[in-house]
Amino acid sequence: MNLTRPEGPDATLTLSRRGLTGALGFAGFAAAIRPVHAAAITTPSDGLISEMITFPSQGFDLPAFVARPQAKGRKPVVIVVSEIFGLHEYIRDVCRRFARLGYVAIAPSFFARAGDPAPLTDFAKIMPIVNSANNAQVMGDITATIAWLDQQKFVKKDAIGITGFCWGGAVVWMASALTPRIKAGVAWYGRLTPRDGSTDQRKWPMEVAGELKSPVLGLYAENDGGIPLASVEAMKAALAKAGNQKSRFIVYPGTQHGFHADYRPQYQETAAKQGWDELLTWFAANGVKP
């Protein structure tokens, strides 16, 4: 990881001691997924500026990873939202992939207040960290992220998209209902409804189908053990009922949850590449294009 202190005229914030300590913990792949799949992609960082930053969010110095082209000029933005494993190497690599295409990619560490799930192997310890990041906090962090982006001379302020994986996929739907500043969202296999028996009182994407302020593309797996296709069909119906004709779904046959995560055994190269191409087309069609 290229861990640097922001420099130059574009830098408005620097890493605090607390933020730097947290940033140093964001290394490697999620420990809960071992061994790392041989197909794990490593994107080169030459020609890019890759750095950990912090910015204020709800009384907390929120760490985030940013990757962007070195070339001057304002660039469109993609906010990248992690899985339950947090800000680890796969998420940082996704940011670098966007940066190489001409985007500013920023991945906030939404779990940083409670800890870093990436080095943990015990899901009994991971989930309390994840569950601490409730919807109100995460939406506040999204708002703070956009406020930070607005201060940067390298950001095209009217071209902000968001994408996320698993836990982050659900966040994409919620953030797209939060603010019209987000022009397009792409949700990779994000849960749409609560699990059976859940007592969580938060809102879920199904409940905000009529509140979406930007179109969302849902990329889902046919054989997802945690997200039944019935919930996808229910979400389609909710969108239709709300008159939302722009958002849509693609379900990839024969795939499992996590099919884009190249470091995991569920990785499915063909679907992952097709989904990535669909994502880029979706962003471009909705004004988030280099």
Side-chain angles (χ1 to χ4, degrees):
M1 177 177 67
N2 179 13
L3 179 62
T4 63
R5 184 179 297 275
E7 298 176 349
D10 291 335
T12 60
L13 296 165
T14 58
L15 287 172
S16 66
R17 182 181 298 274
R18 182 180 183 183
L20 180 58
T21 300
L24 290 172
F26 301 128
F29 292 96
I33 306 299
R34 287 291 185 269
V36 174
H37 196 278
I41 295 170
T42 299
T43 301
S45 58
D46 57 294
L48 305 180
I49 297 173
S50 302
E51 58 193 6
M52 288 298 304
I53 63 163
T54 63
F55 51 85
S57 179
Q58 306 168 92
F60 178 75
D61 288 339
L62 184 69
F65 179 77
V66 178
R68 60 186 177 93
Q70 288 181 349
K72 293 186 180 299
R74 294 187 179 272
K75 307 294 191 298
V77 175
V78 180
I79 300 171
V80 179
V81 190
S82 74
E83 326 131 301
I84 63 170
F85 306 116
L87 187 48
H88 63 112
E89 179 56 25
Y90 163 64
I91 297 300
R92 293 197 304 273
D93 199 85
V94 168
C95 289
R96 290 191 293 269
R97 296 173 206 180
F98 278 120
R100 296 200 74 81
L101 293 173
Y103 292 91
V104 174
I106 181 167
S109 180
F110 295 103
F111 308 137
R113 293 170 178 84
D116 180 8
L120 302 179
T121 58
D122 185 350
F123 279 88
K125 295 180 179 179
I126 291 173
M127 292 316 298
I129 295 174
V130 174
N131 292 336
S132 72
N134 61 37
N135 188 63
Q137 177 222 294
V138 173
M139 293 302 105
D141 288 346
I142 294 287
T143 299
T145 300
I146 294 173
W148 181 82
L149 290 166
D150 282 344
Q151 299 175 37
Q152 311 310 312
K153 295 180 180 180
F154 50 78
V155 166
K156 190 176 181 181
K157 299 178 184 180
D158 61 350
I160 299 176
I162 187 169
T163 192
F165 307 89
C166 185
W167 181 88
V171 171
V172 167
W173 289 101
M174 303 307 293
S176 297
L178 173 71
T179 173
R181 292 295 308 281
I182 294 174
K183 300 304 181 184
V186 179
W188 298 80
Y189 33 83
R191 177 167 283 279
L192 302 164
T193 58
R195 295 182 185 276
D196 291 342
S198 172
T199 59
D200 193 339
Q201 298 302 306
R202 57 158 285 183
K203 280 190 173 183
W204 289 85
M206 183 78 72
E207 299 173 78
V208 299
E211 302 173 28
L212 294 180
K213 298 173 177 61
S214 56
V216 177
L217 173 64
L219 303 176
Y220 284 72
E222 180 185 36
N223 301 322
D224 193 317
I227 303 176
L229 290 183
S231 69
V232 172
E233 294 303 318
M235 186 65 174
K236 288 180 182 179
L239 291 167
K241 183 178 180 180
N244 186 324
Q245 299 180 348
K246 293 185 177 181
S247 298
R248 67 185 183 92
F249 285 86
I250 300 174
V251 176
Y252 290 92
T255 58
Q256 301 177 48
H257 188 89
F259 64 82
H260 182 271
D262 48 74
Y263 72 104
R264 302 178 68 172
Q266 297 95 327
Y267 176 60
Q268 214 288 334
E269 183 179 13
T270 299
K273 289 182 176 179
Q274 289 177 353
W276 186 258
D277 288 343
E278 293 285 356
L279 171 151
L280 295 175
T281 299
W282 188 259
F283 281 156
N286 289 285
V288 186
K289 180 182 180 180

